[in-house]
Structure formats: C-alpha cells, structure tokens
Amino acid sequence: MGTGHYFWALFYFASLCSASLANNAKINFREKEKKVLDQILGAGKYDARIRPSGINGTDGPAVVRVNIFVRSISKIDDVTMEYSVQLTFREQWTDERLKFDDIQGRLKYLTLTEANRVWMPDLFFSNEKEGHFHNIIMPNVYIRIFPNGSVLYSIRISLTLACPMNLKLYPLDRQICSLRMASYGWTTNDLVFLWKEGDPVQVVKNLHLPRFTLEKFLTDYCNSKTNTGEYSCLKVDLLFKREFSYYLIQIYIPCCMLVIVSWVSFWLDQGAVPARVSLGVTTLLTMATQTSGINASLPPVSYTKAIDVWTGVCLTFVFGALLEFALVNYASRSGLNKPNMHKENLKKKRRDLEQASLDAASDLLDTDSNATFAMKPLVRHPGDPMAMEKLRQCEVHMQPPKRPNCCKTWLSKFPTRQCSRSKRIDVISRITFPLVFALFNLVYWSTYLFREEEDE
C-alpha cells in the first residue's frame, strides 16, 4: 500500500512540472513588450522633451554617436554645383530612463516606429538643398531600445547637397564634396556628436558614377561658434576624381581632328579658292560650335579653366589657317611678287651684259683672210669701256664663293613656280603649324598634369 501511495505522489509531481513548463512555453513575449513599453513610456513616466543625462548618469552633455551608410550617389552637377546622395543615417545614444528587464535575455530590444515617443537629437544637414524621407511601402525608419537604455535610430533619406567646386583644372580636376551634420538648438554643453568608433562611414560596393570615381572619404569634426554658443558638427569629405576618358573622346580628339583638317588647305593649290575658303570657314564654324557646347555645360566662372585654354588655342589655330590662305591669296595677286619680278629683270640684264661682252670678245678675235692676229693691248687705256667690263667680269669670277643659306637651299628644293613668295608661305605653314601645335600640346599636358599631381 505504501508503494502505491509513493507512485501516485510521483505521478502528481510530474503532472505539476509538465503544466508549469507548458505555461512557460506559452508566454506571449509580444505582450511582455507592450507591458515594458507602457512601463517605460507611460504617461507621467517619460518626458521626450528632456534630454538624457551625460555619460554614467552625470550632468554632462549627452553623447550621440553617428554612422552612415552611403547607398548611392545619383549625380554630380557641375552647373548647379550640387550632388545627390541616398544614405542610411544612424544615431545611437544612451538614455538611462529607458532601461528595462530583458526577462533573462529573452527580450533583446524593443522596436518603435514613432520617433516622437522618445527624445531625439536635433541634428540637421547644414549644406542641404533638398531632402526627403522614403515612405514606400512603410516609412523607412525604426528605433530600437536596448535593455541597458541604449537607443538606436535608423532612417533612409535622400539628399541634394551643395558642393562648391574649383574648375580651374577642368576636366583634369578632383572635387571634394562634403556632408555636414550639426546640432541646431543644443550647444556643446548639452549635446555632443561623435563618429562611431571603428567604421563610421560605409559605402556600398560597386558604386558607379557616370563621370566620376569615388577615390576615398575622410571623416572630421567641424564645430562652429556663433553668437548663441558653440554647436557640435560632423562632416564627411568625399573625394571624387573626374573620369578623363569621356572628355578625351568627346572634346580633345575632335578638336585635334578639326585643327588637323584645317591644315589640309596648305596642300591645296593657291588657285583653288572655293575649296580652301570652304574648308577654312567650315572648320572655324565647327570649332566655334564645339566651344559653345562645352561652355553651355559649365557654370560661368570668372577664372580660366583648362578646357578654355585648349579650345581657345585650337580655335586660334583654325582661324590662323584661314588667315594664312588670305595672306597667300593676297601675295599671289598683289605687290608681294614684285621683288621676284625685279630679280628676274636683274637676271635678264645680267644675261644681256654677258652676251654683249661675249660678242665684243668675238669681234676682237675675228680677222679677215689677209690679216694676222691682232695682239690685245697689255696696258689698259683709260676710258676703255670694253676693258672695264672684262676686268669687272674677271673680278666677279675671282670672288670667293658665298656660304649657302640652308633655309633658301631647302626652300629651293620645293617645286614652286618660279619660287613665288605666295607658294613659299604654304610651304612654311606646312611645317610651322604642326610644330607649334605639337609644342603647345607638350606644354599643355605637362603643365596641367603636373598641377593635378600637386593638388593630389
């Protein structure tokens, strides 16, 4: 009988234990969360208007740690000097009034979607032009409250921020665009912003920009002092490098081609007036259109940009080629060829004098059939014009030969019609224009690439 009572006692105890475990397993932790929220955020228990205390419950300023995650950068506008960015913004601070029992670690954190239920830092973006929250399908925002009173606030926002640019090296430039965050009403005596330790800024992998490359980013502090006090401020400097390949294909190579095409007129005959005029005017108008299109995509700044130097010099070369033809045409029709005519007349007179001297010498040597050879007088009689002319010819032949001029020798090799000066202008231009343009390219690229390395 004793053994039976012992068995029923064990059975009853096992039933009680199983019922207790079943009750524990059926605990509704969502209901527990509601009770905890009502307990810590109930009426008369928590005032969202009062800031949290300082570190370790002191009366110092509340410390808010910030980190951001850059999701995308949609555009960087050179004309309006702004850029658009989408990011996840996070703040974390400790509010000891929000501590609660985690039920032996079963409540990891409480989640809120209404930011006005707890105290929030009054942070704003100081260089913001436009901004909006994301509300599809639900507002992209949450607040997590941890058992130790730590609060995590996260929100997804899109911003259009001002980015003052220095375009002196455009398009070989680098631009620094900042993201500034500051407190609006709380001074550093009440609120201090700090970057989160470790990795305060994250950037999405494979971030693609149309004409820029994000080289690096730097975090810093930018506290500002005004008449109303000192305010805490954080900033992120994003260093963008402009992709040069786009401008090389769209601007530099076409401009070089236009300049080279304008040199074709140097190889056309000077009589082909319609062809040379059409070529010069067409290249000049095309270069002017190219320049105006480039300037339309840039803001009207007061200083000279690198692209302005390039387009200006290319336009000057094209215009110079057109002026060169005007000079050639003028030289072929006006008195620029008169010196050549004068030289031809002098050569003709010299040939006539030589021919007259030869005729006179032949007359002296001629004799009739009954006469003997007449001896020429060894002594020159004064006033004898024939003797003077022969002496002058002997002196001319006895003069030492002059040193040849390299330039004249080189120019004489070209098959020009009587070496006219108008034709020589074309010959000189065929060599001078390419050499000067090559020298300009050497100076241009060495100067601006060296300045780019200095800025870096």
Side-chain angles (χ1 to χ4, degrees), residues 245-300:
S245 58
Y246 168 80
Y247 300 94
L248 180 65
I249 297 173
Q250 297 294 327
I251 296 177
Y252 285 91
I253 292 180
C255 289
C256 284
M257 294 173 65
L258 287 174
V259 173
I260 295 173
V261 167
S262 68
W263 298 341
V264 176
S265 64
F266 304 152
W267 300 87
L268 298 178
D269 186 74
Q270 60 183 3
V273 177
R276 296 187 69 165
V277 170
S278 301
L279 182 62
V281 173
T282 302
T283 53
L284 182 62
L285 292 178
T286 307
M287 191 66 214
T289 304
Q290 181 86 351
T291 303
S292 62
I294 295 170
N295 292 330
S297 62
L298 294 174

Side-chain angles (χ1 to χ4, degrees), residues 283-416:
T283 53
L284 182 62
L285 292 178
T286 307
M287 191 66 214
T289 304
Q290 181 86 351
T291 303
S292 62
I294 295 170
N295 292 330
S297 62
L298 294 174
V301 295
S302 59
Y303 48 83
T304 302
K305 304 179 290 293
I307 194 66
D308 294 335
V309 176
W310 175 264
T311 56
V313 172
C314 291
L315 188 62
T316 303
F317 270 92
V318 175
F319 183 68
L322 185 59
L323 290 183
E324 188 271 348
F325 170 67
L327 181 62
V328 168
N329 187 264
Y330 176 77
S332 63
R333 294 183 298 102
S334 65
L336 287 179
N337 281 330
K338 288 182 179 179
N340 294 330
M341 296 173 62
H342 182 64
K343 289 182 179 179
E344 293 296 330
N345 293 332
L346 290 178
K347 290 181 180 179
K348 185 177 181 181
K349 289 180 180 180
R350 184 173 296 176
R351 287 196 297 267
D352 293 342
L353 289 175
E354 291 177 355
Q355 185 65 32
S357 63
L358 291 175
D359 293 341
S362 62
D363 291 340
L364 292 175
L365 296 175
D366 287 341
T367 59
D368 54 5
S369 58
N370 297 324
T372 58
F373 288 100
M375 298 297 292
K376 293 183 181 180
L378 297 176
V379 179
R380 179 173 57 89
H381 298 283
D384 189 356
M386 188 60 64
M388 292 290 293
E389 178 65 23
K390 292 180 179 297
L391 181 61
R392 185 184 63 80
Q393 292 181 5
C394 292
E395 291 177 353
V396 170
H397 289 291
M398 292 174 63
Q399 289 180 357
K402 296 182 179 180
R403 180 176 297 178
N405 193 333
C406 297
C407 295
K408 291 183 178 180
T409 304
W410 175 74
L411 290 175
S412 64
K413 294 180 180 179
F414 289 91
T416 58

